[in-house]
Amino acid sequence: MAATASMTCSLDQLSQLLGPNATAAAAYICDQFASVSNKFTDTAYAVDNTYLLFSAYLVFSMQLGFAMLCAGSVRAKNTMNIMLTNVLDAAAGGLFYYLFGFAFAFGGPSNGFIGRQNFALESIPSSSFDYSNFLYQWAFAIAAAGITSGSIAERTQFVAYLIYSSFLTGFVYPVVSHWFWSADGWASAFRTDDFLFGSGVIDFAGSGVVHMVGGLAGFWGALIEGPRIGRFDHSSKQTPLRGHSASLVVLGTFMLWFGWYGFNPGSFNKISVAYASGSYYGQWSAVGRTAVTTTLAGCTAALTTLFGKRILSGHWNVTDVCNGLLGGFAAITAGCSVVEPWAAVICGFVASLVLIGCNMLAEKFGYDDPLEAAQLHGGCGAWGVIFTALFASEKYVKEVYPSRPVQYGLFMGGGGRLLAAHIIQIVVIAGFVSATMGTLFYALSKLKLLRISADDEMAGMDPTRHGGFAYIYHEGDGLDKNGIQMMKIGGDAPSSV
Amino acid sequence: MAASQSCSADQLSQLLGPNATAAATYICGQFTSVSNNFTSTAYAIDNTYLLFSAYLVFSMQLGFAMLCAGSVRAKNTMNIMLTNVLDAATGGLFYYLFGFAFAFGGPSNGFIGSHNFALKSIPSSSIDYSNFLYQWAFAIAAAGITSGSIAERTQFVAYLIYSSFLTGFVYPVVSHWFWSGDGWASALNTNGDFLFGSGVIDFAGSGVVHMVGGIAGLWGALIEGPRIGRFDHSGRGIALRGHSASLVVIGTFMLWFGWYGFNPGSFNKISVTYPDSPGYYYGQWSGVGRTAVTTTLAGCTAALTTLFGKRILSGHWNVTDVCNGLLGGFAAITAGCSVVEPWAAIICGFVASLVLIGCNMLAEKFKYDDPLEAAQLHGGCGAWGVIFTALFATEKYVKEVYPSRPPRYGLFMGGGGKLLAAHVIQILVITGFVSATMGTLFFILHKLKLLRISAEDEMAGMDITRHGGFAYVYHDNDDSLKNGIQMKKIENAPTPPLTV
Amino acid sequence: MAASQSCSADQLSQLLGPNATAAATYICGQFTSVSNNFTSTAYAIDNTYLLFSAYLVFSMQLGFAMLCAGSVRAKNTMNIMLTNVLDAATGGLFYYLFGFAFAFGGPSNGFIGSHNFALKSIPSSSIDYSNFLYQWAFAIAAAGITSGSIAERTQFVAYLIYSSFLTGFVYPVVSHWFWSGDGWASALNTNGDFLFGSGVIDFAGSGVVHMVGGIAGLWGALIEGPRIGRFDHSGRGIALRGHSASLVVIGTFMLWFGWYGFNPGSFNKISVTYPDSPGYYYGQWSGVGRTAVTTTLAGCTAALTTLFGKRILSGHWNVTDVCNGLLGGFAAITAGCSVVEPWAAIICGFVASLVLIGCNMLAEKFKYDDPLEAAQLHGGCGAWGVIFTALFATEKYVKEVYPSRPPRYGLFMGGGGKLLAAHVIQILVITGFVSATMGTLFFILHKLKLLRISAEDEMAGMDITRHGGFAYVYHDNDDSLKNGIQMKKIENAPTPPLTV
């Protein structure tokens, strides 16, 4: 500690002062206390930044999760394509969010609609934002883009992908997050003047801001592109096009679970905050509680899906369970910090049903989403927003959002204002994302930049666009290159599944 | 930080002059506020530390899933991965509802906890949410161990039943005995008269976690019998290799990564000064770092020993064997990681590797089939770890880590045999209790014909019969033709270009 | 928290009245205790920070293993993964026994450390166990880099030898020069007269780690020559593609994840106030955050540049190339990550990508075969990173990060050429030393016929000849042969041995 030196108390000096000169003694003592106070401030910065940075790293690890979830859920012939898009989400997102995304989202002072300071991290760090905040928010922004990529997998031109991903990370998502998370946002619970029903929206870690945005963008993309070839046959009977590797799906799911511990508890940004009640109960407890509610919601959703799908399809299916789990997480994300653990169990249970229902609807309307991203993040995300308005407890809302008049959950006796605000959130997000991303996808479609040709789709994008397949388990260098090879490869395929 | 000091010099100077009492009150008020701030800061640091450790321990679940998936045949991959996902999920609910209460709900008797069901009255002064999360991650690790032993031949329903029972009851009770302040054999028990005046030093759970998981697996695998084809008619063993060494290596590295939460994280707090050294560089943070170092060294030594040992025995340099050796070293050091010197950890890892090789030979001899060697690895090496701790625990570290008890330390370090006696009792008691509960459970399931799948299902693979299809579809059949046309399809199908 | 303040107002008021000396003693005693508490708290925070950073750096080993595994052909997967596991394991033992002592054991001369063998006298006031763990994770990263260059054609014994030598001697010596307080070229060296009054600013090791690993790999690959089939008779290059892009992407993301421990973690401490701003929001925590941001931006820029660059050159959007570009950006920013502005990191990444593409063209031209492009990536981009730092280091940040030395900063930022001169010397010295040691070692192994495997082994794959079988068994044939054709296929194809 560099500043230790400033805290040396001189015995001689103080004793001389204490005797004759009360004023000097007082000044001396108070000086010491001021130095102590400064050291506490420094310590708190160190603790909070450590906490936030490691949370950001966890959230970043979700990008590995998305990549593997997507890769495992598509067919082998499109694996290179989908993984490339996930890598570029992070990379392009890094540049665009640095250049203007963060400024649109949090650059204050600003109006309620969009931020306009701190482009390219100008004037950062400031008293309210440090580099760690940027890194954390960047990891969130690329998660939203990662969600969308799943919906339009296996049939989208790579250029279209680059365009929508930049637009989403650089503009659409930042604007939405400005509304609900910036202190200037028109619907933010941090806003201290006259705002939405005197309530503002409690979307703690982003069921609406992240998951609904990503899911709805994906919904429009998938809708405009139409289903993959072979997904619905002529009689409209559906044929599941199974992903090529359940191992990658499970790997991705666990990494997302791991990363969600950065996503939800990390959204406190600070851990070193004492609550008025003092002693052992402080923001660290709330952080822990958030991790617990997150866990319980996901676990419940997974189990509900397990049994629900077993009843519906007769199988114990691991990829369905994984999706159910993630649906539970997406739902609890809005309210994770302000609900009791038992309420999280309810949240997960309903989220699973919402997901199953959305999938049935999608099936019925011939909507094809290779990762169920719109259903999962859009549907369960919307449920999460509603859930928060029903179950947010007064005590926790007061602790987490101390600066505002408390509006809490309808079922907890808090009245309907929060619910009204949350319904507005859903409507507004749906409207804005549809107006921007829907239009973008439509324009791309009209320009013939959106969907690949039928030939490419049948052959797979990897051989046509990405230089070859992702896997070569048997290679031919030096080994039987003749007729037998043909046969060998023939026997290789699991003849049908 | 709330409650920062604001010291008013004017005010204080008026007080200092005429009114000593008020001045003193004022100054002491400031110091109280300082002290409160330190308490809050320590909570913030310790919870940050514990929560991130818990996340690391959770990441071991990914490790178990990949290790298991890679070690079974492709036709059972969906099954084993599903069980690993559900370990975590059912574990989450059951441990929340009553597991945690059985384990740590105090005040209670020495056998089982009886408070804090569904996290009632949490957070309290001794337990915060982060403690629950950390312990939950441990509980699901135990269930994950067992799933490996009975892989590839167990009915899914049996799996759900034993997993709930293990996470919800068996493991919590054992952890209560050894880790709760009320446990009858806990080194944290301060009620004077307990096990040889010593209690058991099972710091992060070679016995409590690994032996419990391993012995449960042993009974399951024993009652089910070996997989079809594992031993031929003449009784010779035929290895049924797992389908992907890459997944095994991913799993091993994730487990290694997670073990840094498992062992060093078991301190629960890092912001603790040791009594004789305030403001000094040596404190619990050094203990935490030392624990990470002993863990690393034990695993590394075990891996190298296994490498050369297996090379001598089988003639191959085998990566999956090395991975298992590595994990055996970790399982063994887990009990003593915080109370032994780094050089002792090397001995621990060396012996652990030999124990594992020996157990595997025994298993082969007795036709015991354990697809992941889980019983040998976690049971055998875990038991060695418990003994090892009783031999090599140093006085100094035991005093620091368990300050509230009369220190009993390692036999070889001059500490006498009381700790060893207590640890032998631990092994016996865990073996007995887990056999009585889990052994009985597996036996009942067996009698009810709920345990093992049919021979046909086993030959075909569980994925296709129970889980809706294989895990892998590398060649895409959406135009799918199954017969003679298949040939044709493949001729012009998207097989990978041989060289590009 | 130990040593909490308990201030007694009664006592103090009695003292305040008549006895000024005693009152002063009392008050100062309280402040001393406060100061001690702050010291302890800072140790707790810093060790938490450093340990979790070390865990992240360790997770890069998983990244290397998967990157390597995915980039080689399926027939050599077991081999390369085993080498990666053993990097970590042998590295753990050798670095514990003497590597750490060579690197950081002080007081010592400028060339090599000579204390703290086997962690003797650790923890001390300057080094705790967490520092050892962190440095170990760095050492094994260097060995991991080299393994990629010589993949698919190196004898396993040669691998064990060079890996021990690199982790136990070569890397520790180089890190002593540039990172130890005693090193002859270290920016932490305070003995006045050193390299151009500047020392080298290689914050997290573009030179010390990446160039060392890359140049060692260069010599190994050069002496071994290209893999069979890599260049045809007319000298045209034929890419031997890796067998799994999924594993490459897993590996890349894990490396990215781990790099957040590698670069920001190299501060070692986060709880440091900058001199002129106690109680202010700007401190070392901001420096740590900025380092994470520069790291991110350099990698992202390099990835995008590579994407479009390769698209122009080859016509494909290639994910493995993008992954390599990304890693090249990280390797380059590693030296200067803490002392440059975020906008400079974008320049760094842009140029790094061009350097990598250029190096790959050179390699192609000179028929140099490096399965993972490790020499190009870590050697080439690492060298660029060292130069970049000497050009763009800002005065303010250099002062903050290296407070004890006269600040020499970047040429383009107005700091003059002394830093650049020192950095050019660093490149020359590292190249020379690594060539002299590792180049000689590889040459001797080559002469002893211990380096390269036989042509037959190389054609068949090392897994089947040395490591007990292939990594993958997707079709399990212990029961199921489906028809005549299938039979035939299995007889003459390189399918995994049915049972081993």
Side-chain angles (χ1 to χ4, degrees):
Chain A
M1 291 287 285
T4 313
S6 67
M7 283 200 45
T8 47
C9 190
S10 159
L11 201 58
D12 283 351
Q13 222 175 325
L14 183 55
S15 79
Q16 285 171 8
L17 294 169
L18 268 181
N21 190 339
T23 312
Y28 187 90
I29 292 173
C30 281
D31 214 41
Q32 291 287 327
F33 279 117
S35 148
V36 167
S37 180
N38 281 340
K39 288 208 53 131
F40 274 120
T41 309
D42 291 345
T43 303
Y45 275 118
V47 175
D48 290 337
N49 274 281
T50 303
Y51 170 72
L52 187 58
L53 281 168
F54 280 93
S55 295
Y57 305 157
L58 288 190
V59 179
F60 168 74
S61 78
M62 296 176 82
Q63 210 61 19
L64 169 57
F66 280 119
M68 291 304 114
L69 190 73
C70 288
S73 300
V74 304
R75 289 163 293 177
K77 63 183 179 182
N78 294 319
T79 308
M80 299 277 275
N81 172 265
I82 194 84
M83 292 193 300
L84 181 58
T85 62
N86 276 289
V87 174
L88 289 177
D89 272 339
L95 280 184
F96 288 118
Y97 205 70
Y98 163 72
L99 290 175
F100 36 77
F102 186 73
F104 289 158
F106 295 98
S110 68
N111 58 45
F113 180 74
I114 191 166
R116 48 170 195 241
Q117 319 271 332
N118 309 124
F119 289 94
L121 290 184
E122 215 208 327
S123 314
I124 299 284
S126 70
S127 62
S128 52
F129 290 115
D130 206 332
Y131 291 106
S132 50
N133 297 91
F134 164 75
L135 203 75
Y136 191 71
Q137 294 300 334
W138 159 71
F140 267 61
I142 60 177
I147 291 167
T148 305
S149 72
S151 292
I152 58 175
E154 302 208 84
R155 57 199 190 279
T156 306
Q157 287 191 40
F158 186 72
V159 172
Y161 193 88
L162 280 180
I163 294 169
Y164 104 76
S165 173
S166 313
F167 186 59
L168 183 63
T169 328
F171 179 73
V172 178
Y173 169 78
V175 167
V176 174
S177 60
H178 181 79
W179 297 348
F180 298 105
W181 286 349
S182 160
D184 299 317
W186 63 267
S188 165
F190 297 107
R191 195 177 171 125
T192 45
D193 54 352
D194 181 30
F195 54 118
L196 202 58
F197 302 116
S199 162
V201 165
I202 298 181
D203 189 1
F204 185 69
S207 284
V209 174
V210 180
H211 292 281
M212 280 185 64
V213 168
L216 286 169
F219 173 74
W220 283 108
L223 205 62
I224 290 168
E225 296 207 40
R228 289 166 292 173
I229 295 173
R231 178 69 176 83
F232 297 99
D233 68 12
H234 303 297
S235 59
S236 242
K237 199 168 62 68
Q238 64 105 18
T239 317
L241 301 176
R242 297 181 65 227
H244 80 284
S245 172
S247 300
L248 292 182
V249 170
V250 172
L251 179 62
T253 304
F254 271 119
M255 285 307 297
L256 285 169
W257 190 340
F258 179 60
W260 232 294
Y261 288 126
F263 206 91
N264 284 4
S267 287
F268 276 96
N269 290 354
K270 294 173 190 292
I271 192 169
S272 187
V273 176
Y275 287 155
S277 58
S279 84
Y280 61 83
Y281 185 73
Q283 188 128 306
W284 45 88
S285 305
V287 169
R289 189 182 63 238
T290 304
V292 170
T293 54
T294 304
T295 307
L296 289 175
C299 290
T300 311
L303 289 173
T304 313
T305 311
L306 175 76
F307 291 107
K309 281 288 192 173
R310 165 75 180 176
I311 292 165
L312 292 172
S313 77
H315 294 303
W316 304 104
N317 193 321
V318 68
T319 50
D320 287 340
V321 170
C322 287
N323 275 334
L325 185 77
L326 298 177
F329 287 142
I332 195 66
T333 295
C336 54
S337 64
V338 294
V339 300
E340 294 281 358
W342 60 259
V345 173
I346 298 172
C347 175
F349 180 77
V350 177
S352 163
L353 303 183
V354 168
L355 179 58
I356 292 175
C358 286
N359 277 331
M360 285 177 168
L361 276 180
E363 201 81 53
K364 191 168 169 195
F365 289 105
Y367 169 78
D368 178 25
D369 188 327
L371 270 98
E372 311 180 359
Q375 297 96 305
L376 199 163
H377 297 278
C380 296
W383 154 243
V385 170
I386 300 293
F387 161 80
T388 308
L390 300 178
F391 287 96
S393 84
E394 184 178 11
K395 180 183 175 214
Y396 298 152
V397 171
K398 269 187 187 159
E399 287 165 1
V400 178
Y401 297 93
S403 63
R404 61 194 283 280
V406 194
Q407 307 292 337
Y408 55 100
L410 180 63
F411 292 174
M412 313 303 282
R417 285 191 168 194
L418 189 62
L419 183 58
H422 280 212
I423 288 173
I424 299 241
Q425 182 195 17
I426 293 178
V427 171
V428 162
I429 288 181
F432 181 70
V433 176
S434 302
T436 50
M437 295 305 295
T439 309
L440 177 72
F441 280 121
Y442 187 74
L444 288 172
S445 169
K446 283 293 164 198
L447 294 171
K448 307 242 176 275
L449 284 171
L450 190 57
R451 184 153 183 162
I452 56 176
S453 71
D455 292 344
D456 280 10
E457 193 174 339
M458 298 294 278
M461 280 188 279
D462 290 358
T464 57
R465 297 275 173 252
H466 298 284
F469 283 104
Y471 303 99
I472 310 181
Y473 282 109
H474 295 268
E475 83 276 357
D477 54 334
L479 296 166
D480 40 10
K481 291 194 172 152
N482 42 32
I484 301 169
Q485 168 103 24
M486 238 25 222
M487 236 177 257
K488 176 198 135 225
I489 288 161
D492 245 345
S495 30
S496 69
V497 178
Chain B
M1 291 291 297
S4 66
Q5 296 78 40
S6 54
C7 189
S8 155
D10 279 353
Q11 223 174 324
L12 182 54
S13 82
Q14 286 171 6
L15 294 170
L16 266 183
N19 190 339
T21 311
T25 309
Y26 188 92
I27 293 173
C28 281
Q30 293 285 326
F31 279 116
T32 307
S33 150
V34 167
S35 179
N36 285 341
N37 260 350
F38 274 121
T39 310
S40 297
T41 303
Y43 276 117
I45 297 170
D46 289 337
N47 274 281
T48 302
Y49 170 71
L50 187 58
L51 281 168
F52 280 94
S53 294
Y55 306 156
L56 288 189
V57 179
F58 169 74
S59 79
M60 296 176 81
Q61 210 60 20
L62 170 56
F64 280 119
M66 293 301 114
L67 189 72
C68 287
S71 299
V72 303
R73 289 163 292 176
K75 64 182 179 182
N76 294 320
T77 308
M78 299 278 275
N79 172 265
I80 194 82
M81 291 193 301
L82 180 57
T83 63
N84 276 289
V85 174
L86 289 177
D87 272 341
T90 53
L93 278 184
F94 286 120
Y95 205 71
Y96 163 70
L97 290 176
F98 36 78
F100 187 71
F102 288 157
F104 295 97
S108 68
N109 58 47
F111 180 75
I112 191 166
S114 51
H115 289 80
N116 308 124
F117 290 93
L119 291 183
K120 193 158 177 291
S121 313
I122 301 284
S124 71
S125 62
S126 55
I127 296 175
D128 205 333
Y129 290 107
S130 50
N131 297 90
F132 165 76
L133 203 77
Y134 190 70
Q135 294 300 335
W136 159 71
F138 267 60
I140 59 177
I145 291 167
T146 306
S147 73
S149 292
I150 58 175
E152 301 208 86
R153 57 200 190 279
T154 306
Q155 289 190 38
F156 187 71
V157 172
Y159 192 87
L160 280 180
I161 294 170
Y162 101 72
S163 174
S164 314
F165 185 59
L166 183 64
T167 328
F169 179 73
V170 177
Y171 168 78
V173 166
V174 174
S175 60
H176 182 79
W177 298 347
F178 299 105
W179 286 348
S180 161
D182 299 317
W184 64 267
S186 166
L188 305 168
N189 194 328
T190 47
N191 297 341
D193 181 30
F194 54 118
L195 202 58
F196 303 114
S198 161
V200 164
I201 298 180
D202 188 3
F203 185 69
S206 284
V208 174
V209 180
H210 293 281
M211 280 185 65
V212 167
I215 293 173
L218 174 72
W219 284 107
L222 213 56
I223 290 169
E224 295 207 42
R227 288 166 291 173
I228 295 173
R230 178 68 176 81
F231 296 98
D232 67 11
H233 301 298
S234 60
R236 216 164 42 83
I238 296 166
L240 301 176
R241 296 180 66 225
H243 79 284
S244 172
S246 300
L247 292 181
V248 171
V249 173
I250 292 181
T252 304
F253 271 119
M254 286 307 297
L255 285 170
W256 190 340
F257 180 59
W259 232 295
Y260 288 126
F262 205 90
N263 284 3
S266 286
F267 275 97
N268 289 355
K269 294 173 188 294
I270 194 169
S271 186
V272 175
T273 315
Y274 287 149
D276 48 352
S277 56
Y280 188 58
Y281 61 81
Y282 185 72
Q284 187 129 306
W285 46 88
S286 306
V288 169
R290 190 183 60 242
T291 303
V293 170
T294 55
T295 303
T296 307
L297 290 176
C300 291
T301 311
L304 289 173
T305 313
T306 310
L307 175 77
F308 291 107
K310 280 289 192 174
R311 164 75 181 176
I312 291 166
L313 291 172
S314 77
H316 295 303
W317 305 103
N318 192 319
V319 68
T320 51
D321 287 340
V322 169
C323 287
N324 275 334
L326 185 77
L327 298 177
F330 288 142
I333 195 65
T334 296
C337 52
S338 65
V339 294
V340 300
E341 294 280 358
W343 59 260
I346 292 180
I347 298 172
C348 176
F350 181 76
V351 177
S353 164
L354 304 183
V355 168
L356 180 58
I357 292 174
C359 285
N360 276 331
M361 285 176 169
L362 276 181
E364 198 74 28
K365 193 170 167 194
F366 289 105
K367 299 195 182 53
Y368 168 77
D369 178 26
D370 189 328
L372 271 101
E373 311 179 2
Q376 297 96 305
L377 199 163
H378 298 277
C381 296
W384 154 244
V386 170
I387 300 294
F388 161 79
T389 308
L391 300 178
F392 287 95
T394 71
E395 186 178 9
K396 180 182 175 214
Y397 298 153
V398 170
K399 270 187 188 160
E400 286 165 1
V401 177
Y402 295 96
S404 64
R405 61 192 285 280
R408 304 285 176 210
Y409 54 99
L411 180 63
F412 292 174
M413 311 305 282
K418 289 201 170 177
L419 188 62
L420 183 58
H423 280 212
V424 170
I425 300 248
Q426 183 194 17
I427 293 178
L428 295 177
V429 162
I430 288 180
T431 309
F433 180 71
V434 176
S435 301
T437 49
M438 296 304 295
T440 309
L441 178 72
F442 280 122
F443 189 73
I444 292 171
L445 289 172
H446 178 66
K447 284 293 168 196
L448 293 174
K449 306 239 176 281
L450 285 172
L451 191 56
R452 184 151 183 164
I453 55 175
S454 70
E456 295 80 50
D457 279 12
E458 193 173 339
M459 299 293 277
M462 280 187 282
D463 288 0
I464 197 74
T465 57
R466 298 277 173 248
H467 298 284
F470 285 111
Y472 303 99
V473 190
Y474 281 110
H475 295 267
D476 168 32
N477 296 306
D478 49 332
D479 39 359
S480 66
L481 312 167
K482 282 167 194 166
N483 39 34
I485 305 168
Q486 169 108 20
M487 241 17 225
K488 211 185 279 173
K489 175 204 135 221
I490 279 144
E491 274 163 29
N492 48 29
T495 40
L498 304 185
T499 51
V500 177
Chain C
M1 290 293 295
S4 67
Q5 294 80 39
S6 53
C7 188
S8 156
D10 278 353
Q11 223 176 323
L12 183 53
S13 82
Q14 286 172 7
L15 294 169
L16 268 182
N19 189 338
T21 312
T25 310
Y26 189 93
I27 293 173
C28 281
Q30 292 286 326
F31 278 116
T32 307
S33 151
V34 167
S35 178
N36 284 341
N37 260 351
F38 275 121
T39 310
S40 299
T41 302
Y43 276 117
I45 297 169
D46 290 337
N47 273 281
T48 302
Y49 169 72
L50 186 58
L51 281 168
F52 280 94
S53 294
Y55 307 157
L56 288 190
V57 179
F58 169 74
S59 78
M60 296 176 81
Q61 209 61 18
L62 170 57
F64 280 119
M66 291 304 112
L67 190 72
C68 287
S71 299
V72 303
R73 289 162 293 176
K75 63 183 180 181
N76 294 320
T77 308
M78 299 277 274
N79 172 265
I80 194 83
M81 291 193 301
L82 181 58
T83 62
N84 276 290
V85 174
L86 289 177
D87 271 341
T90 53
L93 279 184
F94 287 120
Y95 205 70
Y96 163 70
L97 290 175
F98 37 78
F100 187 71
F102 289 157
F104 295 98
S108 69
N109 58 48
F111 180 73
I112 190 166
S114 51
H115 290 79
N116 309 123
F117 289 94
L119 291 183
K120 195 160 177 289
S121 313
I122 301 285
S124 70
S125 63
S126 55
I127 297 175
D128 205 333
Y129 290 107
S130 50
N131 296 90
F132 165 75
L133 204 76
Y134 190 71
Q135 294 300 334
W136 159 71
F138 268 60
I140 60 179
I145 291 166
T146 306
S147 73
S149 292
I150 59 175
E152 299 209 87
R153 57 200 191 279
T154 306
Q155 289 190 40
F156 186 71
V157 172
Y159 192 87
L160 280 181
I161 293 170
Y162 101 71
S163 173
S164 313
F165 186 60
L166 183 64
T167 328
F169 179 74
V170 178
Y171 168 78
V173 166
V174 174
S175 60
H176 182 80
W177 297 347
F178 299 105
W179 286 348
S180 160
D182 298 316
W184 64 267
S186 166
L188 304 169
N189 195 328
T190 47
N191 296 341
D193 181 30
F194 55 116
L195 201 57
F196 304 113
S198 160
V200 165
I201 297 181
D202 188 2
F203 184 69
S206 284
V208 174
V209 179
H210 292 281
M211 278 184 66
V212 167
I215 293 173
L218 174 73
W219 284 107
L222 213 57
I223 290 169
E224 296 208 41
R227 289 166 292 173
I228 295 172
R230 178 67 176 83
F231 296 98
D232 68 11
H233 301 299
S234 60
R236 215 164 43 83
I238 297 166
L240 300 177
R241 296 180 65 224
H243 79 283
S244 173
S246 300
L247 293 181
V248 170
V249 173
I250 292 181
T252 303
F253 271 120
M254 287 305 298
L255 286 169
W256 190 341
F257 180 59
W259 231 295
Y260 288 126
F262 206 91
N263 283 5
S266 287
F267 276 96
N268 290 355
K269 294 172 189 293
I270 192 168
S271 186
V272 176
T273 314
Y274 287 150
D276 49 350
S277 56
Y280 190 57
Y281 62 80
Y282 185 73
Q284 187 128 306
W285 45 88
S286 305
V288 169
R290 189 182 62 240
T291 304
V293 171
T294 54
T295 304
T296 306
L297 290 176
C300 290
T301 311
L304 290 173
T305 313
T306 310
L307 176 77
F308 291 107
K310 280 288 193 173
R311 165 75 181 177
I312 292 165
L313 292 172
S314 77
H316 295 303
W317 305 103
N318 193 320
V319 69
T320 51
D321 288 340
V322 169
C323 287
N324 276 334
L326 185 76
L327 297 177
F330 288 143
I333 195 66
T334 295
C337 52
S338 64
V339 294
V340 301
E341 294 281 359
W343 59 260
I346 293 179
I347 298 171
C348 175
F350 180 77
V351 177
S353 164
L354 304 183
V355 167
L356 180 59
I357 292 174
C359 285
N360 277 330
M361 286 176 167
L362 275 181
E364 200 73 28
K365 192 170 170 196
F366 290 105
K367 299 196 183 49
Y368 168 78
D369 176 26
D370 189 327
L372 269 100
E373 312 180 359
Q376 298 95 306
L377 199 164
H378 298 278
C381 296
W384 154 243
V386 170
I387 299 296
F388 161 79
T389 308
L391 301 178
F392 286 95
T394 70
E395 185 177 12
K396 180 182 175 216
Y397 297 153
V398 170
K399 270 187 187 158
E400 286 164 0
V401 178
Y402 296 95
S404 62
R405 61 193 284 281
R408 305 284 175 209
Y409 54 100
L411 180 63
F412 291 174
M413 311 304 281
K418 289 202 169 179
L419 189 62
L420 183 58
H423 279 212
V424 169
I425 299 244
Q426 183 194 19
I427 293 178
L428 295 177
V429 162
I430 288 181
T431 309
F433 181 71
V434 176
S435 301
T437 50
M438 295 305 294
T440 309
L441 178 74
F442 279 121
F443 189 72
I444 292 171
L445 288 172
H446 178 65
K447 284 293 168 198
L448 294 173
K449 308 242 177 276
L450 284 172
L451 191 57
R452 183 151 183 165
I453 56 174
S454 69
E456 295 80 47
D457 280 11
E458 192 172 339
M459 299 294 276
M462 279 187 281
D463 288 359
I464 196 73
T465 58
R466 298 276 173 249
H467 298 284
F470 284 111
Y472 304 99
V473 189
Y474 280 109
H475 294 273
D476 168 34
N477 297 308
D478 49 337
D479 35 21
S480 60
L481 306 174
K482 282 159 195 158
N483 52 37
I485 300 171
Q486 174 109 21
M487 261 348 243
K488 211 183 281 172
K489 171 211 136 212
I490 282 152
E491 273 155 22
N492 48 27
T495 41
L498 304 186
T499 53
V500 177

